[in-house]
Amino acid sequence: MVEQVLHHPPVSSWQIFGPDESYYYYGKAEFSGAFRGNSMKCRRHGTNHIVFKDGTRVSWVQPWCYIRGVLWGERVSEFVQLMDFHDETHDLTVELHFNPDDHGFIRNLFSRAIRRPSDYCVGEMYRAKPGTPKDQREVLAKISGTWLGWLDIGEERVWDVTRDLPEVPLPVMNPLPSDSRYREDLRYLAEGDMDLAREYKHVLEEKQRYDRRLRKDYKKEAKKQRKHRGGSRSSPRP
């Protein structure tokens, strides 16, 4: 199940259950981006969590992404910088560096070194408690690959796009009333009625703005109550 829970800024939440409860995947993300000429730097902020049947918990955060050719030219998407995974149950961490040979526009311009393709990634898996110095980590395996083709951990190829077909999520049979399948604007859009689709989209956005004002007013009132209680010890508690 995936839902957009906030209109501005756009925030989505989701939860997915594996077959026979083999895993539970959930998270929340806020989408942000900034234009840089003919490119856009964007990211899905928020932590992903997956809990397996044996109790193992793994969390990770998506890396930054560049979308080039936004206004003209060929459009290309590239992941950049660091992406890390944490297995809290077994004190395991995986660090992946995307496009590791990219050192910025100016340095790349004058560099003579042979660069690997921009979809390349390298990293390592190690065992360590949080806060352990880097030179004291127990490195278990080196990692290399490309997010478009394959991934090797140590000597094993754990994923290959030519071998491993993607899983297709199945929608739940009895969705919540807020499920996107019930959205009037999407229904009218599918039917080709653009006027009604725009009208109902506006109605939905106004509902989300109203809910946002309620949350803002509630936080303001709660802050006022806390300040009132803290300012006078004799003040009655609600």
Side-chain angles (χ1 to χ4, degrees):
M1 180 176 67
V2 182
E3 288 198 17
Q4 184 175 353
V5 296
L6 191 61
H7 171 64
H8 185 72
V11 178
S12 296
S13 296
W14 61 85
Q15 56 178 5
I16 299 175
F17 297 89
D20 301 322
E21 299 183 352
S22 54
Y23 65 86
Y24 170 45
Y25 170 42
Y26 67 98
K28 184 175 70 172
E30 176 183 339
F31 300 87
S32 66
F35 277 99
R36 298 186 173 187
N38 192 34
S39 65
M40 181 178 183
K41 185 178 182 181
C42 52
R43 192 176 192 181
R44 199 178 76 187
H45 300 273
T47 306
N48 301 262
H49 305 271
I50 187 167
V51 183
F52 293 97
K53 202 168 187 177
D54 64 356
T56 300
R57 305 177 64 92
V58 180
S59 60
W60 69 95
V61 177
Q62 292 291 109
W64 285 94
C65 177
Y66 273 114
I67 303 176
R68 309 183 192 279
V70 176
L71 301 177
W72 66 85
E74 183 181 6
R75 185 163 298 178
V76 178
S77 297
E78 298 174 330
F79 286 116
V80 294
Q81 300 179 8
L82 177 66
M83 180 181 188
D84 50 9
F85 300 79
H86 298 285
D87 179 347
E88 307 166 6
T89 311
H90 304 98
D91 293 325
L92 294 175
T93 297
V94 167
E95 290 185 350
L96 279 180
H97 295 267
F98 290 89
N99 197 4
D101 298 331
D102 183 18
H103 303 295
F105 177 76
I106 300 298
R107 290 182 62 184
N108 290 340
L109 190 64
F110 294 98
S111 175
R112 296 184 179 180
I114 299 177
R115 295 177 58 195
R116 288 165 288 191
S118 60
D119 57 290
Y120 201 77
C121 60
V122 296
E124 62 183 20
M125 176 191 296
Y126 61 86
R127 189 189 310 275
K129 294 285 187 182
T132 301
K134 190 173 183 178
D135 58 353
Q136 298 179 20
R137 298 171 179 174
E138 179 189 357
V139 178
L140 304 176
K142 296 294 184 180
I143 301 173
S144 63
T146 159
W147 61 273
L148 293 177
W150 49 270
L151 186 71
D152 290 347
I153 300 180
E155 300 299 324
E156 181 183 0
R157 179 148 297 184
V158 296
W159 173 71
D160 192 311
V161 71
T162 63
R163 179 193 68 196
D164 305 306
L165 298 178
E167 297 287 341
V168 179
L170 298 176
V172 296
M173 297 301 297
N174 300 302
L176 296 173
S178 56
D179 190 275
S180 62
R181 282 172 281 179
Y182 297 139
R183 282 179 51 176
E184 292 92 344
D185 59 331
L186 296 182
R187 180 163 61 88
Y188 287 117
L189 180 64
E191 295 175 359
D193 193 331
M194 299 301 295
D195 292 334
L196 277 176
R198 280 193 292 267
E199 180 181 340
Y200 277 98
K201 184 175 185 295
H202 176 72
V203 170
L204 177 61
E205 290 174 348
E206 285 300 315
K207 288 181 179 179
Q208 292 174 331
R209 292 187 182 100
Y210 175 71
D211 289 341
R212 186 185 182 191
R213 287 195 296 270
L214 289 179
R215 288 191 293 269
K216 185 177 181 180
D217 292 343
Y218 173 80
K219 289 180 180 179
K220 186 184 297 184
E221 183 63 25
K223 184 178 180 180
K224 186 187 299 183
Q225 291 290 335
R226 288 194 300 269
K227 185 177 181 181
H228 177 70
R229 291 197 299 267
S232 174
R233 292 187 177 183
S234 60
S235 299
R237 293 182 178 271

